[in-house]
Each structure stands twice: as structure tokens, then as C-alpha cells.
């Protein structure tokens, strides 16, 4: 459990790179939904990749910083309830860090299922609980609107993390040397 929250140079570099990629994807590679102020965001697939490779701290910071920067650049100021929810989702995605074998060159079957259970759980907690409650508490938004937005965001972000994140993790695992595949002759 101790290694799950370890921060080192690799984590810091990954956080900077991940936040930059997240910001760009969040701003430019999205598909609007019929629900106001919600979009299918490809950034959460990348967030899930980085969180799985570098842990919950990197995942939280990448999503939080990337979302805050994107909001600040596009709208002049972050919408903090959703920025915090992004950080929560990235943090929870990071629990796949030690529960998959992606670094060992394996990301099939059980690993894919484990990853997707974690990312769906992260998206539901972030978008169906955290974002709507903070919208109500911070901005006095109407409950029916924010829960509709939250449920929509949870579904779309789960699809993004599930499809894009899984494909990226499968591709990444294929680049890793599988444990026991090298032998001395």
C-alpha cells in the first residue's frame, strides 16, 4: 500500500506531461452531448492510462490540474466543483496501479476487468456524487440539473476511460518485456 502513494521524479514528470496532454484533449478533442455543459471527453482515457501507470497521486493531479487549466484558459476561471471531481476520478483510477500487470507486459482478461471496474467506480463517485453535491453547495445549482449532468458525465467518461484507456494500456503492455520471457543461452 505504501508504494501506491509514492511520489518520485518519475511521478512528477508524468504529472506534468499528463496534465498538459489532458488540458489539450479536454479543450480540443471532445464531443458535445445533448445535456448542457457536458461532453464526451477523450481526456479521461488518457487520465486513466497515466493513473494506472503512475498511481493515484499522479492520476489526481493530472486530472485536477488539466481540468483547472482548461477551464481557466477557455472560460477565464475554473468551475471548481467539476475540477475537484476530475481530481477524484483520477485519484480513484490510480488504484489500478498495483492491481494490474501492465508493467509486466500483461494486460488481458482479468487486468482489463479490474481496470474497468475501478475506472467505472471512480467515474460514478466523481460525477454522480462529488460533482453534483459540490455544484449544489458551492454554486447553488438546481439539483435536478446537476444530477442529470453528473449521470451523463459518468456514463460518457466511463466509456472514454473504458475504451480509450483500455486500448492505450493494451498497447503500452505490448511494449513491455514480459516477465520470464528472457532467458540465458
Amino acid at each position: 500500500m505504501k508504494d501506491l502513494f509514492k511520489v518520485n521524479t518519475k511521478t512528477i514528470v508524468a504529472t506534468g506531461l499528463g496534465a498538459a496532454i489532458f488540458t489539450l484533449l479536454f479543450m480540443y478533442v471532445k464531443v458535445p452531448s445533448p445535456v448542457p455543459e457536458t461532453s464526451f471527453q477523450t481526456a479521461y482515457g488518457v487520465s486513466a492510462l497515466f493513473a494506472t501507470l503512475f498511481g493515484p497521486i499522479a492520476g489526481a493531479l493530472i486530472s485536477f490540474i488539466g481540468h483547472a487549466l482548461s477551464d481557466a484558459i477557455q472560460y477565464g476561471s475554473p468551475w471548481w466543483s467539476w475540477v475537484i471531481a476530475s481530481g477524484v476520478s483520477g485519484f480513484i483510477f490510480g488504484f489500478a496501479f498495483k492491481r494490474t500487470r501492465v508493467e509486466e507486459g500483461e494486460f488481458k482478461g482479468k487486468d482489463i476487468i479490474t481496470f474497468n471496474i475501478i475506472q467505472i467506480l471512480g467515474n460514478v463517485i466523481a460525477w454522480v456524487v462529488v460533482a453534483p453535491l459540490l455544484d449544489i453547495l458551492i454554486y447553488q445549482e438546481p439539483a435536478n440539473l446537476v444530477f442529470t449532468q453528473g449521470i451523463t458525465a459518468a456514463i460518457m467518461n466511463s466509456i472514454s476511460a473504458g475504451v480509450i484507456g483500455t486500448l492505450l494500456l493494451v498497447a503500452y503492455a505490448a511494449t513491455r518485456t514480459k516477465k520470464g520471457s528472457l532467458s540465458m543461452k
Side-chain angles (χ1 to χ4, degrees):
M1 191 69 153
K2 189 170 131 185
D3 287 345
L4 195 61
F5 300 105
K6 187 176 180 182
V7 176
N8 55 28
T9 304
K10 192 165 90 168
T11 308
I12 294 166
V13 171
T15 298
L17 178 62
I21 294 168
F22 187 99
T23 301
L24 293 172
L25 290 175
F26 203 81
M27 289 172 57
Y28 300 115
V29 188
K30 59 187 174 183
V31 178
S33 84
V35 176
E37 303 301 323
T38 59
S39 298
F40 178 87
Q41 290 286 357
T42 58
Y44 291 103
V46 172
S47 170
L49 166 74
F50 276 90
T52 301
L53 296 179
F54 300 102
I57 302 298
L61 290 171
I62 288 165
S63 298
F64 182 88
I65 294 167
H67 194 147
L69 284 173
S70 172
D71 278 7
I73 292 166
Q74 290 183 98
Y75 309 115
S77 103
W79 190 263
W80 290 111
S81 55
W82 282 52
V83 170
I84 292 167
S86 279
V88 168
S89 70
F91 182 80
I92 295 171
F93 295 165
F95 284 93
F97 175 55
K98 293 290 184 184
R99 288 177 174 79
T100 63
R101 298 169 299 151
V102 70
E103 284 293 343
E104 298 160 23
E106 294 289 330
F107 194 74
K108 299 176 182 163
K110 183 182 173 193
D111 294 313
I112 292 172
I113 291 167
T114 300
F115 164 75
N116 278 291
I117 289 169
I118 291 168
Q119 69 85 5
I120 290 168
L121 186 62
N123 277 307
V124 168
I125 291 169
W127 305 112
V128 178
V129 178
V130 175
L133 292 178
L134 289 178
D135 271 347
I136 294 165
L137 291 171
I138 297 170
Y139 302 110
Q140 288 78 46
E141 291 285 322
N144 61 339
L145 171 64
V146 295
F147 281 104
T148 301
Q149 289 173 325
I151 291 166
T152 303
I155 292 167
M156 291 187 302
N157 294 340
S158 292
I159 293 169
S160 172
V163 174
I164 297 167
T166 299
L167 291 173
L168 290 172
L169 287 163
V170 166
Y172 178 82
T175 69
R176 310 303 295 165
T177 303
K178 289 178 183 42
K179 191 175 184 179
S181 68
L182 299 176
S183 61
M184 304 241 336
K185 292 192 179 196

